[in-house]
Amino acid sequence: MITADSDPQHRPDAQSASPAFREQPAIHETAGGSELCVIAPTFNERGNIQELVNRLRRCLAGLSWEVIFVDDDSPDGTAEYVRQLGLGDHRVRCVQRIGRRGLSSACVEGMLASSAPYLAVMDADLQHDEMLLPKMLDILKAGETDIVIGSRYVDGGGIGEWDTTRATVSRIATRFSRAVVPAELTDPMSGFFMLRRDTLVNCVHKLSGIGFKILLDLFASSPQTLSFKELPYQFKNRYSGESKLDTVAAWDYGMLLLDKLVGHIVPVRFVAFSIVGSLGVIVHFLTLGLVFKILGRPFIEGQAVATIVAMTFNFAMNNLLTYRDMRLHGWGWVRGLLSFYAVCSVGAFANVGVASYLYGTHTQWAVAAVAGIMLGVVWNYAMTQVYTWNKTGAATRSR
Ligand code: GDD
Ligand code: MN
């Protein structure tokens, strides 16, 4: 059979037979692209957009630049606002993601949506010091280093008006990061840096894209140790709006570190799903104890109530933690819960079926039980991934 690949007519020249050959498009100098792209992830940052663009216009005057706001369908209409600005200035661009959340993955998609050879990542709320951008670009162009980072922890830098709790949390998180990034990096938590495109290309397929620590992800995913330079800056107060980081961000951070450490062996979502499942077992026993022992209802009733409570708990926790980046809201949440019940009921039958079969073939009871549970967990994980947190349904999911 002749396919497009094997048909010689589809090969304009013999060179293309080599997998290393990549045809380069002709570059038209008259309409050149930007040299620098600033990527700003946004969620409800409408009040900051105009000011950020004004400041970029001032500090990057004379340079060839663009800014891409990667917005996760903010209810405040950030994306539409950016597009309105873009009508008057082609350097202002918007990538709007629907049914998705996540600072890191937004930054990666923004970087991939640009052709610029130099890429900067920066918050949209003006807490970072945009005045550093020209200097960062000069350093990269001089070829001195792979990545230039705005740091709050080198001489001249500072964390501004953070309360002691946030400062302590950041310090602890930085200490944990040492498991995956070089110790000399003073501010691996920084969300403000610039890199060359080839540095990104070298590791982009290995990025986890989990949570909000994209710099750490880049360092931990790079095949070679990245050379870096840190420039001090003062972390300023937010210009407008509110911070998006909540306590659950700590969970995301743990998952990112875990993914970097064991992700090549087992999917980190499966680990999260199993942790939630184990908590569900505790919830089951607490409910059963309450209904059966304390309220004195029949065992079967206790077991039925406990099963429903535990399944609901598992669904809610998985939606909040395991599938945080694609969490369901409103009617989507209710539909998700029903599909979760359906999948887990089948999983429970499979679990009991396999366990009783194995027990019947004289397998040790504990081994039979564990095998049944494992089968149930894998089934529930695989099927809810498709039917409950359905990736293809993301665009139509209600908020
Ligand atoms: N697209 C998208 N999706 N953007 C998001 C999301 C999301 O789910 N969550 C937050 N952002 C955007 C915000 O709109 C803002 O522009 C930027 O990411 C930073 O979020 P903040 O909510 O302002 O976080 P912060 O100020 O607490 O933390 C920042 O400072 C840290 C320094 O400790 C972040 O930049 C961290 O990465 C940085 O480490
Ligand atoms: Mn902020």
Side-chain angles (χ1 to χ4, degrees):
M1 193 181 77
I2 293 184
T3 64
D5 268 336
S6 61
D7 180 357
Q9 288 187 341
H10 284 84
R11 295 186 180 279
D13 62 58
Q15 254 188 306
S16 61
S18 147
F21 177 76
R22 295 271 194 282
E23 198 183 339
Q24 298 290 333
I27 295 174
H28 298 283
E29 303 289 344
T30 46
S34 312
E35 183 173 43
L36 169 67
C37 178
V38 178
I39 290 102
T42 57
F43 191 75
N44 285 345
E45 301 290 0
R46 193 186 166 98
N48 292 314
I49 304 296
Q50 179 75 68
E51 179 63 19
L52 177 57
V53 170
N54 289 346
R55 292 194 196 177
L56 290 177
R57 282 177 180 145
R58 280 198 297 272
C59 76
L60 298 175
L63 296 171
S64 155
W65 62 277
E66 65 182 348
V67 56
I68 299 184
F69 292 93
V70 187
D71 185 65
D72 286 350
D73 207 18
S74 302
D76 76 348
T78 302
E80 193 46 42
Y81 189 88
V82 172
R83 282 193 289 265
Q84 288 297 322
L85 266 184
L87 275 177
D89 186 342
H90 67 88
R91 297 172 300 186
V92 180
R93 296 176 50 199
C94 175
V95 169
Q96 181 176 4
R97 308 194 303 170
I98 296 175
R100 307 268 309 280
R101 278 298 302 273
L103 203 168
S104 278
S105 61
C107 294
V108 177
E109 283 169 43
M111 292 192 266
L112 294 175
S114 167
S115 305
Y118 297 98
L119 303 160
V121 168
M122 188 178 165
D123 290 352
D125 57 3
L126 301 148
Q127 294 200 265
H128 295 152
D129 186 356
E130 70 286 345
M131 302 293 276
L132 286 187
L133 290 169
K135 189 163 178 202
M136 287 175 157
L137 185 61
D138 283 345
I139 294 172
L140 284 184
K141 283 170 101 172
E144 288 171 28
T145 187
D146 294 326
I147 182 160
V148 187
I149 302 157
S151 168
R152 298 160 295 174
Y153 301 118
V154 287
D155 272 353
I159 55 174
E161 291 179 13
W162 263 7
D163 56 38
T164 44
T165 318
R166 172 111 202 223
T168 312
V169 169
S170 179
R171 238 195 338 270
I172 295 170
T174 305
R175 200 159 305 155
F176 276 117
S177 76
R178 301 287 172 232
V180 297
V181 296
E184 313 83 64
L185 195 57
T186 65
D187 197 357
M189 302 292 144
S190 175
F192 182 32
F193 56 88
M194 191 186 291
L195 75 171
R196 284 192 321 274
R197 174 166 300 280
D198 59 311
T199 308
L200 171 75
V201 168
N202 281 340
C203 66
V204 71
H205 292 99
K206 296 219 156 50
L207 291 172
S208 304
I210 301 173
F212 56 104
K213 293 303 166 195
I214 176 65
L215 180 68
L216 194 146
D217 201 355
L218 282 164
F219 268 86
S221 307
S222 177
Q224 308 96 359
T225 311
L226 293 180
S227 60
F228 64 91
K229 189 169 168 61
E230 294 182 306
L231 301 180
Y233 82 98
Q234 290 285 339
F235 198 62
K236 289 179 276 187
N237 285 336
R238 218 173 211 284
Y239 184 75
S240 161
E242 286 164 10
S243 173
K244 311 302 165 326
L245 297 194
D246 48 20
T247 42
V248 186
W251 164 274
D252 275 344
Y253 183 60
M255 285 297 129
L256 170 63
L257 294 184
L258 205 59
D259 192 41
K260 295 280 77 125
L261 296 170
V262 303
H264 53 289
I265 304 168
V266 53
V268 73
R269 266 198 225 271
F270 181 72
V271 176
F273 195 84
S274 307
I275 294 173
V276 169
S278 314
L279 295 176
V281 172
I282 298 173
V283 169
H284 185 106
F285 277 99
L286 289 176
T287 316
L288 178 61
L290 176 75
V291 177
F292 178 51
K293 288 282 181 203
I294 300 177
L295 300 179
R297 307 294 303 169
F299 176 80
I300 182 90
E301 199 177 299
Q303 181 71 354
V305 172
T307 304
I308 291 177
V309 170
M311 275 201 291
T312 311
F313 168 86
N314 278 12
F315 169 74
M317 293 300 279
N318 277 315
N319 192 51
L320 189 70
L321 302 174
T322 315
Y323 290 98
R324 188 165 156 68
D325 54 337
M326 37 203 298
R327 57 185 175 271
L328 305 164
H329 300 270
W331 281 112
W333 194 92
V334 177
R335 263 201 309 274
L337 176 65
L338 295 178
S339 71
F340 192 82
Y341 283 161
V343 167
C344 294
S345 306
V346 178
F349 272 111
N351 170 352
V352 174
V354 164
S356 349
Y357 170 77
L358 288 177
Y359 184 64
T361 60
H362 307 294
T363 311
Q364 260 213 345
W365 67 268
V367 176
V370 168
I373 291 170
M374 288 299 287
L375 182 88
V377 172
V378 172
W379 162 272
N380 290 348
Y381 171 70
M383 297 311 268
T384 57
Q385 185 167 48
V386 177
Y387 291 108
T388 306
W389 290 278
N390 173 1
K391 285 181 188 153
T392 55
T396 53
R397 197 172 296 140
S398 57
R399 300 183 55 83

